Amino acid sequence: MNKAASPLIEVQDLQVHFGSPAQPVRAVDGVSFQIAPGETIALVGESGCGKSVTAMALARLVPEPPARYVGGQILYQGRDVLQQDEDALRAIRGNEISYIFQDPGSSLNPVFRIGYQIAEAIELHRSDVPTRQEVLDLLRWVGMPDPARAARAYPHELSGGMQQRAMIAMALACHPRLLVADEPTTALDVTIQAQMLALLTRLQAELGMAILLITHNLGLVAGIAERMHVMYAGQFVEAGPTEAVLRAPRHPYTRGLLHAVPRLEGTRERLTGIDGMVPHPARLPGGCRFHPRCPMCQTRCEVEAPSAAEVDDTRWSRCHFWSEVPPP
Amino acid sequence: MSATTATAPQSGHSLWQEARRRLRRNRLAMACLWIIGIYTALALYGEGVYRWHQWRDVTPSYQRTDLDKQYLQPSYLRAPFAREQMDWATGETYTVSGWQRWGAGWTRLAQHPLGTDGLGRDVFQRLVQGTRIAYQVGIITSLIAIPLGVLLGCLAGYFGGRTDDFIVWLYSTFAAIPGLLFILAIAMVVGQGLLGVYLGIGLTMWVGLCRLIRGEVIKHRDRPYVAAARALGLSHVRIIFRHILPNVFHVVIVTFTLRFPAAIGTEVFLSFLGIGVQGEPSWGIMISNARLRLWHGVWWEMAFVTAAIFFIVLAFNLLGDALRDALDPRLRTEGEGDHE
Ligand SMILES: Nc1ncnc2c1ncn2[C@@H]1O[C@H](COP(=O)(O)OP(=O)(O)O)[C@@H](O)[C@H]1O
Ligand SMILES: [Mg+2]
């Protein structure tokens, strides 16, 4: 819909490989998407699908000796991130594109007080030293109950939720235009998950930033993301508006993920997850990458890799038989 | 309930403070610290004496030959409070009477408390100078080895790849040369004396530290906090030295504590062999001198030097072990809150 508006970031055919060039591990294999300013999009898939690598690549953060950026472009405000030098990248990281990670406890440096780490995050992209008041204001802004005390505390002295608030404060210290939240609630209690998402939504509204939300929990994306991308074995298999995709998935993998969500209404109902595991990117099956686990698999799927088929003008699916996927 | 109290914001105890508390509770470690404190005080006193004599441009007492006072026993064995006293210069005995006996007795007790050597030099003063030299060697070799080991270890561990290969090759080469041969070779190049000792020990000592630091940094470079720091836009240099190094610094402290006495021991050995300190009363030189008359009953110089070396090495090693326990990262996150 708003594709006409110039996107904040545009990823085209991104390929990130690990391992030797002779035997590449295709962790991300031809991913394309764009994020408009202020938009929230979700990236969904099981562990090991390449979500984190995709996300980290946006600021060229996948460590380069193991990783190789083999192909594609990442246009941030029209300039290719993959062509820029380290100084330019550092000016983007934390300032324009910020990250929060799954495990807030180990994402904070254990030997420094929270206040010091937040001050460092503020100071990094400007020349003067932030005042104590600025640090406390930032902590209050992310809903830290006792900012003065939290600023004095060491990371291990805070609860998981408080640690994640501190991480969010650091990530948003420079008012980035894109926040990448890589499974931000996976390590937290269910009650705190909801608080954290509410906090992110509020901060997003105040800053007008875009969010890339990565999760393997489809329950989270429903309320938040406008569009979602489903990732499997290094590729996107389905993309479209969240409501539409969740209501009527057009890829059997999406449908499988939906069934793996515990249903609140039918407590007796068994979880029908997807059998088997995500293939390691070094040992991808031929044909459709999902076919060994697909309940709808046919002979064509074993030999011919499907290309993205347009379902309607807002969504597409990488399945030969997308029209036959049953409703969830 | 206990879980919430353990995770609620508390008074902000750093891991270093926890370690210090753990160390305080260790009686043996505190005793070692006291012993090291006494040695340090002696070394500083020795430095003062040395400087003072240099400034006045006079031969210090620990170098002045006085053949009248050859091989005096430690003062308390010379019956300082007895009526009969011997004049050192003439060898004649004379009688001290009345209250004088006590007043002069204390003075005699303070004269050459640890006896004198074959040239009539005061053993205590020489021992103090030996302490000064030992500290000088320990500190200067650490100043060479620690920056080198930390820098190269950090670079190798953090960057990996070619950098790592090169640094591992470098320290393996150093480690492959027998330490003593290496020091001898350096002594041949720069000449005998303390410079050769500093360089020889310093350039072999960094290897162990470098290896340990590299291992620790490898453990830390893949921790999420490093990725988070990268994502905030920090440079590699800042991440290495301001974020990872404080996390692995306990290795430096423990290694320093364990290598310090090793450096002292090496200096003693080299000086004993005659390739170390020249003309100054290093412990090694004292041992070398003391062995000459040992079998004639002149035991004190040897005994006191050996004891001095023994206790400083023991104190540093025991403290090093205690520090390793106190700073152990595995203990660091365990059971916080329950001592509060
Ligand atoms: N440092 C690395 N070295 C080698 N392979 C890696 C590395 N990081 C990720 N990979 C590969 O990339 C794949 C995708 O990883 P990741 O993006 O972390 O998955 P997700 O975030 O979806 O759980 C993994 O299956 C793994 O094989
Ligand atoms: Mg991940």
Side-chain angles (χ1 to χ4, degrees), chain A residues 180-201:
Chain A
V180 180
D182 191 349
E183 312 207 13
T185 60
T186 308
L188 303 177
D189 293 346
V190 184
T191 46
I192 300 177
Q193 283 183 12
Q195 287 176 18
M196 218 45 67
L197 289 175
L199 172 67
L200 281 182
T201 325

Side-chain angles (χ1 to χ4, degrees), chain B residues 94-166:
Chain B
Y94 60 95
T95 314
V96 191
S97 58
W99 293 106
Q100 266 191 359
R101 190 179 134 197
W102 294 105
W106 287 111
T107 317
R108 275 194 288 273
L109 191 64
Q111 271 169 346
H112 309 304
L114 304 182
T116 58
D117 69 358
L119 295 175
R121 299 173 298 196
D122 184 48
V123 169
F124 175 71
Q125 284 297 335
R126 287 174 74 75
L127 209 56
V128 167
Q129 290 306 308
T131 315
R132 169 179 74 83
I133 291 171
Y135 264 70
Q136 207 167 308
V137 169
I139 290 169
I140 293 181
T141 54
S142 301
L143 286 181
I144 298 174
I146 289 178
L148 204 60
V150 167
L151 181 70
L152 293 181
C154 282
L155 294 181
Y158 185 80
F159 288 111
R162 292 256 167 111
T163 320
D164 189 34
D165 291 346
F166 173 72

Side-chain angles (χ1 to χ4, degrees), chain A residues 18 25 27 46-53 66 280-281:
Chain A
F18 292 94
V25 177
E46 289 163 288
S47 285
C49 284
K51 306 184 297 293
S52 295
V53 174
H280 188 272

Side-chain angles (χ1 to χ4, degrees), chain A residues 140-310:
Chain A
R140 196 170 298 114
W141 184 52
V142 297
M144 193 70 90
D146 187 349
R149 201 168 184 187
R152 253 189 299 119
Y154 286 87
H156 69 271
E157 294 170 325
L158 298 181
S159 67
M162 295 302 128
Q163 287 170 340
Q164 191 62 292
R165 282 177 201 272
M167 281 303 299
I168 292 174
M170 287 168 70
L172 301 190
C174 296
H175 298 184
R177 306 185 46 148
L178 172 63
L179 177 71
V180 180
D182 191 349
E183 312 207 13
T185 60
T186 308
L188 303 177
D189 293 346
V190 184
T191 46
I192 300 177
Q193 283 183 12
Q195 287 176 18
M196 218 45 67
L197 289 175
L199 172 67
L200 281 182
T201 325
R202 169 169 73 81
L203 299 178
Q204 176 182 32
E206 288 175 23
L207 288 182
M209 65 184 174
I211 293 185
L212 175 62
L213 177 69
I214 296 174
T215 177
H216 53 240
N217 183 351
L218 281 177
L220 285 185
V221 302
I224 295 190
E226 287 134 42
R227 285 186 303 127
M228 62 183 277
H229 298 266
V230 183
M231 194 162 188
Y232 185 78
Q235 292 180 326
F236 284 174
V237 292
E238 179 164 15
T242 308
E243 311 280 295
V245 173
L246 292 183
R247 202 177 331 105
R250 285 286 169 248
H251 195 286
Y253 181 60
T254 317
R255 187 170 176 276
L257 284 180
L258 272 172
H259 279 271
V261 177
R263 292 281 177 80
L264 282 183
E265 54 274 321
T267 41
R268 296 262 152 194
E269 215 174 58
R270 226 183 107 249
L271 287 184
T272 44
I274 314 162
D275 293 333
M277 302 228 301
V278 184
H280 188 272
R283 293 179 297 275
L284 295 173
C288 172
R289 292 182 182 179
F290 187 58
H291 86 254
R293 302 171 71 190
C294 184
M296 299 164 47
C297 177
Q298 302 184 25
T299 40
R300 183 179 170 202
C301 303
E302 289 167 21
V303 288
E304 188 190 335
S307 54
E310 214 162 272

Side-chain angles (χ1 to χ4, degrees), chain A residues 72-92:
Chain A
Q73 282 186 319
I74 298 170
L75 300 174
Y76 177 76
Q77 297 190 317
R79 294 177 60 196
D80 190 356
V81 168
L82 298 182
Q83 303 298 330
Q84 291 181 32
D85 61 11
E86 181 70 14
D87 285 343
L89 289 173
R90 281 216 310 275
I92 292 178

Side-chain angles (χ1 to χ4, degrees), chain B residues 202-234:
Chain B
L203 290 181
T204 42
M205 211 162 82
W206 69 273
V207 170
L209 181 63
C210 181
R211 193 181 277 158
L212 286 172
I213 291 280
R214 172 180 172 268
E216 284 296 306
V217 172
I218 286 176
K219 267 194 254 166
H220 276 265
R221 70 164 181 217
D222 295 326
R223 297 258 166 103
Y225 78 83
V226 173
R230 290 282 296 147
L232 276 178
L234 271 73

Side-chain angles (χ1 to χ4, degrees), chain B residues 17-35:
Chain B
Q17 283 168 314
E18 303 250 324
R20 201 156 62 205
R21 212 166 37 197
R22 222 174 282 141
L23 199 65
R24 281 237 184 81
R25 267 185 266 136
N26 185 339
R27 289 246 180 86
L28 188 62
M30 292 320 284
C32 290
L33 268 178
W34 272 106
I35 294 176

